[in-house]
Amino acid sequence: MIGGSIAKLLQIAGETKEALGKISTELPADVTPAETAAKIAELETSISELDAINAERTRLVNVKGDKAGALSDYLVHVRISVKAACGPDSSEYDMIGGTRSSERKRPKMKKEEED
């Protein structure tokens, strides 16, 4: 691809279209400013369609994130409710993914260093 980027390619194509209008030498029938303009329009249409799809994708990614956050919050609420209703050491709390208080590691006392 000429230019390395779509913006640069469109710029070069526009300049080429303008230059073709000023050239008086016979060129092949398909090398015209109108044909160049048509190809530029096709690419710009594709860019617009892609931008619309990307915007929709971004919206859907945001919706997915919102729904994932809502589900996470709900699961925390469920665990808190089961812990409050059944106790922090109950098998019910363990069944929903909580760690029973009897299964938690006990904190170790740090020994004080003598100076």
Side-chain angles (χ1 to χ4, degrees):
M1 180 170 71
I2 296 174
S5 73
I6 299 296
K8 183 72 173 170
L9 181 63
L10 286 170
Q11 177 188 353
I12 292 169
E15 293 167 358
T16 301
K17 182 184 80 159
E18 294 299 320
L20 281 174
K22 298 174 185 174
I23 295 175
S24 60
T25 306
E26 277 297 314
L27 297 171
D30 65 333
V31 179
T32 64
E35 183 66 23
T36 305
K39 292 195 179 294
I40 291 170
E42 288 174 6
L43 178 57
E44 288 174 339
T45 299
S46 293
I47 291 169
S48 295
E49 291 171 354
L50 183 59
D51 288 345
I53 290 170
N54 283 336
E56 178 64 9
R57 182 185 182 283
T58 299
R59 185 190 71 77
L60 290 172
V61 166
N62 290 339
V63 167
K64 179 190 79 167
D66 293 344
K67 290 185 184 289
L71 178 58
S72 178
D73 292 345
Y74 174 75
L75 293 176
V76 168
H77 173 69
V78 168
R79 282 190 182 153
I80 290 171
S81 297
V82 170
K83 184 177 181 179
C86 301
D89 198 36
S90 66
S91 60
E92 293 86 355
Y93 185 59
D94 184 43
M95 287 184 342
I96 58 147
T99 302
R100 295 173 71 170
S101 58
S102 62
E103 295 174 358
R104 291 192 179 272
K105 291 183 179 179
R106 303 282 184 233
K108 294 186 178 182
M109 300 278 290
K110 291 185 180 179
K111 293 183 179 178
E112 292 184 31
E113 294 182 22
E114 295 181 24
D115 291 327

